[in-house]
Each structure stands twice: as C-alpha cells, then as structure tokens.
Amino acid sequence: MSVIDWRQAASNLNLRKQAFIGGKFVDAVSGGVFDAINPANGTTLAQIASCDAADVDLAVHSARKAFDAGSWSRRSPTERKKVLQRFADLMHQHGDELALLETLNMGKPISDARSVDVPASANTIAWYAEAIDKIYDEIAPTGSGALGMITREPVGVVAAVVPWNFPLLMACWKLGPALAAGNSVILKPAEQSPLSAIRLAELAAEAGIPDGVFNVVTGLGETAGKALGLHMDVDAVTFTGSTEVGKLFMNYSAQSNMKRVALECGGKTPHIVMADCGNLDEAATAAAYGIFFNQGEVCNAGSRLLVDAKIKDKFLDKVIAVGKTLTVGDPLDAATKLGAMVSQVQMDRVLDYIDIGSKEGAELKSGGKRVLSETGGYYIEPTVFDNVSNKMRIAQEEIFGPVLATISFSGAEEAVALANDTIYGLAAAVWTDNIDVALSTARRLRAGSVWVNNFDESNITMPFGGYKQSGFGRDKSLHAIDKYTELKATWIKIRA
Ligand code: NAD
C-alpha cells in the first residue's frame, strides 16, 4: 500500500480507548485518561482510560472468577487449541489494522509492522495453540506400591506487563503460552503504546475466549503496573521492560504475596567481528541492521560493535555506508527504514547519550542529530561512534536508540573479556570463519542467545531470555510453558 493508502486507512480507524475487563470495554473507575501520541508528528491520537488500583482490582477479580469457573482453565487442551487458532486467524485477517495501530502509536516503519510484528505475533499464538495438546505429563518411577503422577496445572491469574518497542509481539510471547496452558491473563501495555493491545482483546473475545480470561488494563506503570505487582491475588507476573522496573517487580512480589516473577529486561549486546571473518560485507550489513532496525529500540540490539583492530577501519566504513542507505522518514512510507522514536522523552534521552559519548571522548563518525523536526516527529539519524572504550557510559548503559559504539580488540581472548564486561547478558554475536573460534567463543559468551555468522536470526522454536541483569525465565519455545504452570506431585498408594 502507498503512504496515501495507509493515511486513508488511518483516518478510517475506529480507535478503541477503554480498558477491557470481564469481556467488556470500560472506562477507568476514576474517569481518568492519558494521551496516546503519534510520534511521527507529535499529535494526540486518542485519550485512553487511565486505570489504577481500583481497575486492577476489578480485572483481577474477573480473571480469578473466570479461572475458578473453569470455562477456560479446565477446558480440554484440544478445545483451547481451536479457540486460539481462531484468534491467530483473526489477527492475520486484521493484519493491516493491527500493523497500522502499531505504527501510528509507536513510530515503527509500517513495512516492518506488517511483515514482521503482526505475522510473528499471530504465529506465536498459533504455535502455542498447536503445541498445547501435544504435551504429556509424567509418571514417576516409583515401584509397584504406588503411582506417582507429575502433572502440570495452570498457575492461575497471570499479569503480563509489556514495553512499547514491540507492543503486539511482546504481548503475544506472554499470551500464547499463558492462555494455552489455561490461565487467566491481565495484559498491561506500556502507556506509550496501548492501542494494539486493546484491539487484540476484542479479537480474542470474537475468537471465543471467555469473558474474564483475557483482560487489558491500560494505564501508567506507577499506578496500573504497580497495582498488578502488589496485588494479593495475582499468581504470577511476566514482565518485559527495563532492568530498573524489573527489579521493582521483585520488590512488589516480596512485599505482597510472593507471586512468581519472570523478567525479560535490558541488554547491551556485543556484536563481535573476528579478523578472519570471511564475508565482511554480510557482517557489516548485519551490524548496521542489528543496531538500526526498529530505530535501535530493541532489547537485543547489537549496540556494542567489537571489531578486531586489524580490520576495524575497513569494516567500520562498510557499516557506516550501509547506515547511510537507511532512510529515516514517515513510518507510513514503505521506503522508510527508520521511523520515529517512540516519544519525545525517548528521543531526548538518546540525544543526551550522543552528547555524553562525545564528551567522554568517543569519536562521532556518522549521524548524531535529530532530523525532520519540521514534521513535529521524533526522528534521529543512524549514529556511529568509533574509538569507544568499554568503560564509557555509551558502552555500558542501554541507550535504546540508533547509536552504535565501536570498540576494537586484539584476538579472541580480549573480545570475549570485553563482551562479557557488562551487567547485561541478553544476547551476543560472533563472526568468524574458524569453527573452533566460533564454538569456543559461543560457549564463553554469558548471554541467553548467541548468533554465529548472523545476527538476530531465530524463530518461535528457540527460547529467548537473559543471563545476569537481563533477567530470568524464558519466552518462546516450549520452555515458556514452565512460567505459566505449576508442577503437582500426586502420590497414590496401590494397596492390592
Ligand atoms: P519500562 O521498564 O519503562 O516499562 C515496561 C512496562 O513496565 C510498561 O508497561 C510500564 O508501564 C511498566 N512500568 C513502568 N514503571 C513501572 C513501575 N514503577 N511499576 C510497575 N510497572 C511499571 O520499559 P520500556 O521503556 O517500556 O521498554 C524499554 C525496555 O524494555 C528496555 O530496557 C528494553 O531492553 C526492554 N525490553 C526487553 C526485552 C527482552 O525480551 N529482554 C524486549 C523488549 C524490551
């Protein structure tokens, strides 16, 4: 579709603005609202219900009631599968609309929203739907006097608190396994990007998910998010967001009912290029897309480029050249590769880091500025620093923008030491033509995902999550089911 078609489609949208609790759209109890902003031009798209503890309480009550009633939690896995498959089909059918909501609300290029976010989200729901009636429980090797059953049960009421960078996909990484396993879910989207989540709830209801099983509370982190974290009747929190807020959820749990917490937090991914890398053009393209995709607003963005000093200058020239081909512009234009930063706050934060990098003595090689300010939108050009030391703030702190910090090293030993010298451990990548270097480096990197001779390739069959302060617990793959199930040991004596 052309930019004109997308704009037309945007003007025809009927935006849902309320929370979705117990199968109904509702205003916040307080009547409060907050603005959903279009970061491409700074205008207000809609005023959204600003939920707080009172609304969270209603949502938890409704989720618990549905869970206890068993209309979902005790339905057979095969029946849940059918409903979730319908849900995934509806997401595909409404793909243009969901992509548009995502782009309008958080600024990512519509071509990515349509070809990556929406299909990956729908496929996640479909994959867990397909999986759930193929998972067997266990019988323990007890001997003849007893039957030891090890069964999985849904954990109960799950709160899913998600960020704004992939609003739909992060929600579906939680919803897929949580709903498939029979839980009731309360989704809290980020306040910057609530629109797609609200529409998702409506599609879920249309697919046949019973009232109360899937609720959406829209609201601010410090009110709605905190109330979920502290609620005495939430059994588990599944969170994706910053490390700082992740730690708060551990506190909330400790202060309340010791609810389970699973955290997917920040990252500072090292992207290592060894001197023997045989295809520097391919690696340079991967390095550029690895940091500039989604405006750099990616938890596993390859924000630290570690390059062997022997090839650094040549390699960096190639990365910069690729960066210059990436058009920054209107997210509704199919030619755009970098859209708008999610908010003015985020844009200012990234510009501050660019300033900090220069003041710390790093060399700004490319980009570094806000662009297209006449649109009222929050755009930043692809930015590359050279001569960065791993001790600098731009090498240690998560910037969450299109800013690459290049650090040189001599040999694999130093590369691994630098790569691991971070509080984070979400992902890492290494490019080399030597199989021994590839395997030994991959083993020594302290990160939940490691890519060899590629960057960020994966699919739903692989787990995703962090080491160290990138969090714990895993999204995606069958391992994600562990977060949403309890293990019950039932020992039955056999008297005969
Ligand atoms: P954030 O931590 O500010 O917000 C995440 C969610 O937490 C939002 O829904 C927000 O409303 C809520 N929240 C904020 N403050 C809260 C509080 N005091 N109490 C309770 N809830 C609160 O993160 P963000 O800015 O939305 O997203 C960016 C962060 O997400 C980055 O750090 C990024 O690395 C991380 N992220 C991680 C992954 C991963 O899988 N590891 C994926 C995507 C994003």
Side-chain angles (χ1 to χ4, degrees):
M1 286 197 339
S2 72
V3 65
I4 297 179
D5 295 334
W6 282 116
R7 282 193 191 133
Q8 184 60 44
S11 64
N12 291 340
L13 277 175
N14 172 19
L15 296 178
R16 276 60 164 179
K17 303 162 191 171
Q18 292 167 295
F20 192 80
I21 297 176
K24 291 188 188 63
F25 281 116
V26 288
D27 290 328
V29 172
S30 69
V33 291
F34 65 92
D35 289 342
I37 305 285
N38 180 351
N41 53 27
T43 57
T44 300
L45 290 161
Q47 294 199 307
I48 309 292
S50 187
C51 297
D52 60 23
D55 310 278
V56 162
D57 206 40
L58 290 174
V60 175
H61 181 71
S62 151
R64 173 66 61 197
K65 202 168 132 202
F67 186 77
D68 289 347
S71 58
W72 185 252
S73 55
R74 291 198 294 276
R75 217 185 261 189
S76 77
T78 306
E79 287 173 320
R80 289 202 296 264
K81 169 172 90 172
K82 286 185 189 140
V83 175
L84 289 173
Q85 284 174 328
R86 268 203 299 279
F87 181 25
D89 288 346
L90 284 169
M91 289 174 69
H92 282 301
Q93 280 166 32
H94 293 271
D96 285 347
E97 182 190 356
L98 290 171
L100 197 49
L101 291 173
E102 208 75 330
T103 287
L104 289 175
N105 207 181
M106 66 71 62
K108 71 171 67 204
I110 190 78
S111 46
D112 291 341
R114 190 67 190 93
S115 67
V116 180
D117 296 66
V118 171
S121 301
N123 290 341
T124 297
I125 301 291
W127 193 82
Y128 285 102
E130 263 307 330
I132 201 63
D133 66 353
K134 295 163 192 73
I135 299 173
Y136 289 72
D137 286 328
E138 298 164 41
I139 301 291
T142 50
S144 60
L147 176 65
M149 300 195 305
I150 304 168
T151 48
R152 285 171 187 269
E153 295 180 350
V155 76
V157 175
V158 173
V161 180
V162 297
W164 44 259
N165 60 340
F166 293 90
L168 207 52
L169 187 59
M170 294 303 102
C172 289
W173 281 7
K174 319 289 189 199
L175 287 169
L179 289 175
N183 296 282
S184 293
V185 180
I186 300 157
L187 172 65
K188 198 208 82 65
E191 48 270 48
Q192 296 84 349
S193 58
L195 293 179
S196 56
I198 310 177
R199 183 69 178 112
L200 201 59
E202 204 176 19
L203 294 178
E206 192 179 331
I209 292 184
D211 294 351
V213 170
F214 176 25
N215 308 276
V216 176
V217 289
T218 47
L220 309 188
E222 306 84 69
T223 47
K226 183 174 178 182
L228 283 166
L230 286 172
H231 203 286
M232 292 300 286
D233 204 24
V234 168
D235 297 297
V237 166
T238 174
F239 169 81
T240 295
S242 61
T243 292
E244 191 189 349
V245 176
K247 288 179 182 179
L248 289 180
F249 274 99
M250 295 177 80
N251 265 328
Y252 298 152
S253 168
Q255 285 166 37
S256 56
N257 61 343
M258 226 165 118
K259 58 180 67 63
R260 292 170 172 212
V261 177
L263 304 176
E264 299 271 7
C265 298
K268 199 72 197 175
T269 294
H271 198 161
I272 304 170
V273 186
M274 300 290 186
D276 64 11
C277 168
N279 191 337
L280 288 186
D281 288 327
E282 192 187 353
T285 301
Y289 277 88
I291 181 65
F292 301 133
F293 172 64
N294 211 48
Q295 307 74 242
E297 295 166 327
V298 180
C299 51
N300 58 257
S303 51
R304 286 187 299 151
L305 179 61
L306 308 187
V307 194
D308 195 291
K310 291 192 204 109
I311 58 163
K312 196 258 294 173
D313 289 341
K314 181 165 78 166
F315 186 73
L316 197 54
D317 285 346
K318 289 177 186 288
V319 176
I320 291 169
V322 177
K324 287 191 189 305
T325 66
L326 304 179
T327 316
V328 184
D330 183 343
L332 291 181
D333 188 336
T336 292
K337 294 285 186 213
L338 273 81
M341 307 303 295
V342 71
S343 64
Q344 170 136 24
V345 171
Q346 185 63 13
M347 177 183 71
D348 290 344
R349 194 179 122 96
V350 174
L351 292 171
D352 271 356
Y353 269 112
I354 293 172
D355 198 37
I356 289 167
S358 296
K359 288 194 177 125
E360 281 181 311
E363 186 188 343
L364 183 62
K365 292 280 279 189
S366 176
K369 291 189 302 296
R370 177 182 186 182
V371 291
L372 302 171
S373 56
E374 67 282 3
T375 61
Y378 315 129
Y379 300 92
I380 297 181
E381 56 188 341
T383 298
V384 177
F385 277 106
D386 192 8
N387 295 322
V388 176
S389 137
N390 200 48
K391 298 278 174 243
M392 290 179 184
R393 285 183 64 194
I394 58 166
Q396 288 293 324
E397 297 174 21
E398 188 179 43
I399 298 175
F400 228 56
V403 181
L404 183 64
T406 311
I407 301 164
S408 57
F409 64 82
S410 297
E413 200 62 33
E414 193 189 1
V416 171
L418 286 168
N420 287 336
D421 181 14
T422 164
I423 62 164
Y424 297 113
L426 191 57
V430 56
W431 294 76
T432 172
D433 276 11
N434 181 321
I435 184 78
D436 295 312
V437 173
L439 293 177
S440 70
T441 306
R443 284 196 173 155
R444 292 169 67 198
L445 288 167
R446 303 256 304 136
S449 294
V450 175
W451 297 293
V452 177
N453 292 333
N454 73 89
F455 192 82
D456 203 11
E457 289 185 20
S458 185
N459 64 26
I460 188 69
T461 63
M462 294 284 276
F464 184 82
Y467 285 22
K468 302 196 273 182
Q469 291 190 44
S470 290
F472 48 84
R474 293 291 180 267
D475 281 330
K476 300 170 62 196
S477 82
L478 291 181
H479 291 282
I481 305 268
D482 293 345
K483 294 201 292 203
Y484 306 107
T485 47
E486 294 280 11
L487 266 192
K488 179 172 279 179
T490 308
W491 184 278
I492 303 165
K493 192 169 178 176
I494 300 177
R495 284 186 291 240

